[in-house]
Amino acid sequence: MLPISRFLIGYSLFFPPSSAGAEQLIENKVKLKNVFVDIHYDKSQVNLVRTEDQNSTKLHLVDKKSGKILETYGEIVQPLEQVATKTVGMNDASVASAAGTYSISTVYPERNDGPAVSRLSTQLYIYSYNSFRQINKVLNTWWSEANGGSWYLTRDVANTVSMTGSFPTTKVQTSGSATIEVKTSYSITGSFSISALKEAGFTYGYSSGSDIYYRKPINLGFVYSLY
C-alpha cells in the first residue's frame, strides 16, 4: 500500500544541502537507475559507492579523505505492462500513437542526524518510447523514517514541482522540511544519549515524566531529471 500522499499543490520550497561546505558546492549530475539527480559535491572529492539489482539502486557519496558518508540517494523502479498510448505529448503523430512503456520510479535522498535516518521520497510516473522519455505526473511526495528507534518526524511538509512549469516534463524539483523528535532520558547512553544528541545538533524540546524530548529541524531539496 502506498503512503498517504502529502503532495501540497502550489507549495514550493528549496533548501540546498546544509552538510556541504562552500568549497564543495559544485553541481554535478549522477544517474541512479533511470533518473538523474543533481548533487552538490565535487566528484573529485568523493567516491560514488553503488549497490544495485535489477529494479533498484542505492548510491552513497563517500568523502575520500574521511571515509564519511556525506549523502545517500536511491531509486526503486516498478515496471508496468507495455501499453498503447494515444497522446504522449510528442509532435510526431506516428510516434504518438505507437506502443510505449510506463514505469513508476521512487527516488529519494537520505540524511543522517545522530541516531535518526530520514528519507524524502518522490514517486514519478514515467513514459518511455525508444530514447524518448517524459515524466507524466508526480504520484506522491512524502517523508518517512528510514530506520527504527525512539524517534519520529513531525511538522513534515513535502512538495514536487515541474521545472518546466507543467506536466509532462523531463525535470522536477522535490523539497521539504520536517522536525526530528527524539525521546531520551538522563540514564540513556550511546547515540540516543543527551550528549550525543546535542553533538548532532539537537536541542531540548520538553519533558514528560522521566522522558526528555530533543528536536532538530531538517530540510532537503533536490532536482531530478530524465536526461
Side-chain angles (χ1 to χ4, degrees):
M1 180 179 295
L2 296 178
I4 297 174
S5 175
R6 294 171 184 169
F7 180 70
L8 307 179
I9 302 298
Y11 188 85
S12 181
L13 302 168
F14 180 73
F15 305 97
S18 59
S19 58
E23 74 280 3
Q24 294 175 310
L25 292 179
I26 301 175
E27 185 171 307
N28 290 286
K29 187 177 292 186
V30 175
K31 188 174 184 180
L32 298 174
K33 195 71 174 174
N34 295 326
V35 177
F36 291 87
V37 60
D38 288 359
I39 64 172
H40 299 272
Y41 287 91
D42 185 345
K43 284 185 179 179
S44 67
Q45 303 301 313
V46 298
N47 289 317
L48 304 181
V49 180
R50 184 186 299 268
T51 57
E52 192 165 15
D53 59 29
Q54 183 176 355
N55 293 320
S56 69
T57 189
K58 199 165 190 177
L59 183 68
H60 298 289
L61 269 63
V62 180
D63 184 85
K64 287 185 177 180
K65 292 182 178 179
S66 67
K68 177 183 177 182
I69 296 177
L70 301 173
E71 290 178 353
T72 299
Y73 311 91
E75 179 179 356
I76 302 169
V77 180
Q78 177 187 347
L80 301 179
E81 292 182 359
Q82 189 175 54
V83 296
T85 179
K86 296 180 179 179
T87 305
V88 293
M90 293 179 284
N91 294 325
D92 188 336
S94 63
V95 176
S97 61
T101 59
Y102 288 93
S103 64
I104 296 173
S105 279
T106 300
V107 288
Y108 61 87
E110 289 181 348
R111 59 170 291 153
N112 294 270
D113 296 276
V117 182
S118 307
R119 180 180 290 184
L120 179 58
S121 299
T122 306
Q123 280 188 327
L124 305 174
Y125 190 55
I126 299 172
Y127 171 82
S128 301
Y129 179 79
N130 292 334
S131 62
F132 175 86
R133 295 191 298 159
Q134 67 183 23
I135 302 169
N136 278 8
K137 59 183 176 179
V138 176
L139 298 178
N140 205 353
T141 306
W142 74 98
W143 284 95
S144 62
E145 296 92 358
N147 69 335
S150 300
W151 72 278
Y152 55 93
L153 294 169
T154 65
R155 301 183 181 91
D156 51 316
V157 294
N159 184 37
T160 301
V161 297
S162 167
M163 294 195 71
T164 60
S166 62
F167 289 93
T169 186
T170 59
K171 196 172 187 178
V172 298
Q173 176 182 293
T174 291
S175 50
S177 63
T179 297
I180 303 172
E181 191 159 298
V182 179
K183 184 176 73 172
T184 185
S185 70
Y186 290 112
S187 62
I188 289 180
T189 60
S191 61
F192 282 91
S193 68
I194 291 175
S195 60
L197 292 173
K198 287 181 177 179
E199 186 176 348
F202 289 81
T203 58
Y204 173 79
Y206 65 96
S207 298
S208 177
S210 61
D211 295 328
I212 304 171
Y213 293 84
Y214 272 72
R215 293 169 173 166
K216 182 180 181 179
I218 60 171
N219 53 65
L220 284 172
F222 289 93
V223 172
Y224 301 106
S225 58
L226 297 181
Y227 298 100

